[in-house]
Amino acid sequence: MKESEKRAHLQRTGIAKIALDPFAAAYDMQTAIERITGILSETIGVERSGIWQLSADHDGLEALTIYEADKMLYSKGQILNTNLFPAYFEALRSETRIYAEDAQNDPRTAELADSYLIPLGITSLLDAGIMIEGRLIGVVCCEHIGPLRNWHPDEEAFVSTVASMVAQLFANHERRIAEKTLEESEHKFRSLTNQLPVGVYRTTIEGQIIFANPALARMLEYDSNEQLLRLNVRELYADPLEREKQLQVLEYNNQIMQSEFQLRKRSGELIWVRDNSRLLIDEKGEPVYFDGVLEDISLQKVAEKALFEAKEKAEQSDRLKSYFLANISHEIRTPMNAIIGFIDLLKNTDMKVEELKDHMNILEQGAQRLMSTLNDIVEISKIESGQMETVWSEVSVIEVMQYHYIFFLPECSRKGIELRINMQAGDIVNTIFTDRNKLDSILTNLLSNAVKFTSEGFIELGNFVKDNQLIFYVKDSGTGIPNEMQEAVFDRFIQADMERSRPHEGSGLGLSIVRAYAEMIGGAVSLESEPGMGSTFYLKVPLNQE
């Protein structure tokens, strides 16, 4: 066999050994490069072979392994300062390989002579650069000791091939390290996010969920975070426009943004969340991911609403108390002034009998008005303090109706108002078991209000039976009550006309007393009204209570 054929056979065998080396496949970097240097020495027939790697700053060239064939010895760690050998490294970068028969005198390698070649007895060099993506990262060296050696072209090609295979080994090793680092980083990230009590997510710009931690799945009532990965985040928003608003705000800003909105649980229930999110931008400035942390703030929203309502109620209470004090002052001082004024007039002994009667009537009206105000204050105070007792007895429905009709008939006549009575329940219900005083107080307040707020037309006192309840009603053709005031009129100190000038007297306590008394006798009070068309107040009383 010819010499060239022998070399070719050895070279093919060497390349096959390197390609099939199990240590390279197992990413055992050190063992793999040691075996490569051994194969190099065996195939080329050199005393020394080595694999060197440039440092990150390219200031040093470190021997990863050097194999000495005659001693069958591996060593590593020697470092050459690259700044001392500029011609050598420039040649490697430009030619990618150096075959120097007389290495100690070759212009490309002569600068290595004194510090490296001569001390080791190296006469000839065959070096190939290890290149990755056009970058020089190291050198594969074949070093001959003895007489000068003329390298064959096939040997040069073989060493270049080995350098390419080492470059691939390095690339695979770096990728493996990067993958392992990424894997460890992801493991730490998932371990951390899995322990967090708040929801963590990542979506694509289009909204596809690509990461969700278990807390987010629990928050939205999904069995696992994997179920969330099948969804587009837009499916979770109560208002999909919220997502678009976030993207618009973050489009030119990759800072963290906080927002609050509602998400829909798997069950359809809505929850309030606080979202701290950020748009991730790639090196080209293009948005790639949308990351965020979600916190369920539904209970906080309920508390905020309750706090707001309490604040509004407190402010309204302050306004009502101020109104009440002013109103009570008016209700006490007005009749008191009338009483005092007419007492002064009565001191005039020359007053005629008719004038005296008129003044006495006015005095009586003032006293009754003052007494009514004081009674209201006393009654509401007892109700507020829980001192009001309920006295149950059998009460005649007809007697109650006739009593109030007769009592209010004179006052209605004086005002020119028709007072009607409509007893539809007379044939069905004779008596009910209730508190007579409270029932009288309720009907008196309702009829008094009707007389007060009706200047013409009619007032109707009636009753009927419905759903096992006796229903009393007072209907009038008076001023009526605006829709927004119809619930409020039952509150303390409220009158339907309190925001306007007050043409009507009264403490503003009557209807709140009515509601409280209605509840105490097991009933309820309600109203129907339309401004300008009059009002109808209903009192529902159970028929079968004992």
Side-chain angles (χ1 to χ4, degrees):
M1 183 182 293
K2 294 181 180 180
E3 192 67 26
S4 61
E5 292 176 351
K6 289 182 180 180
R7 290 198 306 272
H9 174 72
L10 287 172
Q11 291 164 10
R12 287 195 298 271
T13 302
I15 289 172
K17 287 180 180 179
I18 294 171
L20 299 174
D21 185 56
F23 292 97
Y27 299 101
D28 186 345
M29 186 70 172
Q30 188 60 39
T31 303
I33 60 175
E34 287 178 357
R35 290 171 67 87
I36 289 172
T37 53
I39 293 169
L40 268 174
S41 292
E42 180 185 350
T43 303
I44 298 293
V46 291
E47 291 77 5
R48 288 169 57 92
S49 60
I51 296 175
W52 301 66
Q53 185 176 25
L54 278 170
S55 62
D57 57 10
H58 285 203
D59 286 343
L61 184 66
E62 181 182 1
L64 298 181
T65 185
I66 295 175
Y67 178 65
E68 298 177 66
D70 57 339
K71 299 177 184 178
M72 299 182 66
L73 179 67
Y74 292 96
S75 62
K76 62 179 181 178
Q78 185 175 355
I79 297 177
L80 299 178
N81 189 333
T82 58
N83 296 320
L84 301 178
F85 314 110
Y88 174 73
F89 285 101
E90 179 59 33
L92 275 176
R93 289 188 178 93
S94 60
E95 302 176 25
T96 69
R97 65 186 179 189
I98 298 174
Y99 46 95
E101 181 179 350
D102 183 3
Q104 297 178 12
N105 296 301
D106 191 299
R108 298 168 297 177
T109 57
E111 57 193 10
L112 294 165
D114 292 338
S115 61
Y116 185 75
L117 300 178
I118 293 175
L120 295 173
I122 298 170
T123 55
S124 303
L125 283 177
L126 178 53
D127 292 356
I130 302 172
M131 312 291 289
I132 295 181
E133 297 180 352
R135 296 179 295 109
L136 179 68
I137 66 163
V139 185
V140 172
C141 299
C142 292
E143 302 168 346
H144 174 72
I145 298 174
L148 300 181
R149 178 169 175 172
N150 182 26
W151 304 102
H152 296 285
D154 56 85
E155 292 174 325
E156 298 170 14
F158 172 71
V159 174
S160 292
T161 300
V162 172
S164 297
M165 297 177 78
V166 172
Q168 186 61 50
L169 180 65
F170 279 15
N172 292 343
H173 181 66
E174 289 178 1
R175 185 176 67 252
R176 176 62 177 171
I177 291 175
E179 289 173 351
K180 187 175 181 181
T181 302
L182 179 61
E183 192 175 296
E184 290 174 351
S185 176
E186 288 182 349
H187 177 73
K188 290 178 181 178
F189 174 75
R190 290 180 185 275
S191 177
L192 174 63
T193 57
N194 286 350
Q195 302 304 316
L196 290 175
V198 294
V200 180
Y201 68 90
R202 167 173 283 184
T203 74
T204 62
I205 301 304
E206 292 74 26
Q208 182 61 45
I209 301 174
I210 56 177
F211 175 79
N213 72 335
L216 183 59
R218 290 193 298 271
M219 185 188 301
L220 299 174
E221 297 181 343
Y222 284 85
D223 297 331
S224 67
N225 46 333
E226 285 77 14
Q227 287 184 334
L228 284 173
L229 302 185
R230 303 169 192 160
L231 301 177
N232 188 294
V233 73
R234 288 181 173 84
E235 299 175 51
L236 301 175
Y237 279 75
D239 181 2
L241 291 178
E242 288 290 344
R243 168 76 175 187
E244 304 307 321
K245 290 178 185 176
Q246 288 177 297
L247 290 175
Q248 288 171 8
V249 171
L250 292 172
E251 185 174 1
Y252 302 105
N253 177 14
N254 64 347
Q255 300 300 312
I256 294 176
M257 182 190 77
Q258 187 176 99
S259 55
E260 295 179 0
F261 48 84
Q262 287 184 296
L263 291 182
R264 195 181 307 280
K265 290 184 177 183
R266 188 180 186 184
S267 62
E269 178 188 352
L270 296 179
I271 60 170
W272 277 98
V273 296
R274 180 181 293 117
D275 179 49
N276 289 281
S277 53
R278 181 180 63 158
L279 197 63
L280 284 111
I281 310 295
D282 64 16
E283 62 277 2
K284 298 178 182 178
E286 296 294 327
V288 286
Y289 296 121
F290 194 81
D291 286 354
V293 177
L294 287 173
E295 179 184 2
D296 187 344
I297 59 169
S298 299
L299 292 178
Q300 179 182 326
K301 284 290 186 182
V302 171
E304 287 176 357
K305 183 180 179 183
L307 183 62
F308 176 79
E309 290 175 349
K311 176 176 175 290
E312 289 289 303
K313 191 171 183 179
E315 290 175 351
Q316 183 188 37
S317 178
D318 285 341
R319 291 193 299 270
L320 292 177
K321 286 176 182 177
S322 298
Y323 173 82
F324 171 69
L325 291 173
N327 191 27
I328 290 299
S329 174
H330 172 80
E331 289 299 313
I332 293 176
R333 291 172 65 186
T334 299
M336 186 61 73
N337 286 336
I339 291 170
I340 293 171
F342 280 101
I343 287 175
D344 287 338
L345 288 175
L346 290 175
K347 292 176 182 178
N348 182 356
T349 55
D350 295 333
M351 189 176 294
K352 295 178 180 180
V353 176
E354 292 302 321
E355 288 179 320
L356 184 61
K357 288 182 178 179
D358 289 340
H359 292 332
M360 292 298 291
N361 286 335
I362 294 173
L363 276 174
E364 183 182 7
Q365 291 174 8
Q368 288 176 348
R369 179 177 176 183
L370 182 58
M371 183 60 70
S372 175
T373 298
L374 294 176
N375 285 339
D376 282 350
I377 295 173
V378 171
E379 286 193 67
I380 201 67
S381 298
K382 287 182 178 180
I383 291 170
E384 291 286 344
S385 63
Q387 295 178 359
M388 182 65 69
E389 296 182 356
T390 303
V391 180
W392 299 92
S393 64
E394 195 169 6
V395 177
S396 169
V397 176
I398 295 175
E399 181 186 342
V400 168
M401 295 288 288
Q402 289 177 339
Y403 167 80
H404 286 282
Y405 176 78
I406 293 169
F407 184 86
F408 281 93
L409 185 59
E411 189 172 357
C412 289
S413 298
R414 281 196 299 272
K415 290 189 68 174
I417 302 168
E418 178 188 0
L419 179 61
R420 305 171 182 171
I421 187 168
N422 182 5
M423 293 189 287
Q424 300 178 39
D427 296 334
I428 304 173
V429 179
N430 293 320
T431 60
I432 56 173
F433 195 72
T434 188
D435 186 317
R436 172 64 187 264
N437 288 335
K438 291 180 176 55
L439 179 60
D440 284 342
S441 180
I442 292 169
L443 294 176
T444 298
N445 271 297
L446 294 180
L447 285 163
S448 294
N449 278 345
V451 173
K452 185 190 305 181
F453 292 99
T454 304
S455 58
E456 59 181 2
F458 70 91
I459 296 172
E460 182 175 313
L461 171 64
N463 61 26
F464 58 91
V465 174
K466 183 179 180 181
D467 299 330
N468 202 35
Q469 289 181 314
L470 174 60
I471 301 176
F472 294 92
Y473 69 87
V474 175
K475 183 176 183 180
D476 65 60
S477 59
T479 57
I481 301 172
N483 289 335
E484 64 273 13
M485 291 294 295
Q486 288 184 14
E487 182 62 27
V489 292
F490 292 103
D491 294 335
R492 311 292 193 260
F493 321 132
I494 294 289
Q495 287 186 332
D497 62 351
M498 67 179 292
E499 299 299 330
R500 298 168 284 177
S501 60
R502 295 182 66 257
H504 305 291
E505 62 186 50
S507 65
L509 295 173
L511 288 179
S512 62
I513 293 172
V514 165
R515 170 173 278 181
Y517 281 179
E519 292 172 355
M520 292 176 74
I521 63 173
V525 64
S526 60
L527 74 90
E528 294 176 354
S529 184
E530 186 175 340
M533 302 297 291
S535 305
T536 304
F537 283 82
Y538 298 95
L539 170 65
K540 299 177 182 179
V541 181
L543 287 177
N544 299 324
Q545 60 182 1
E546 294 292 338

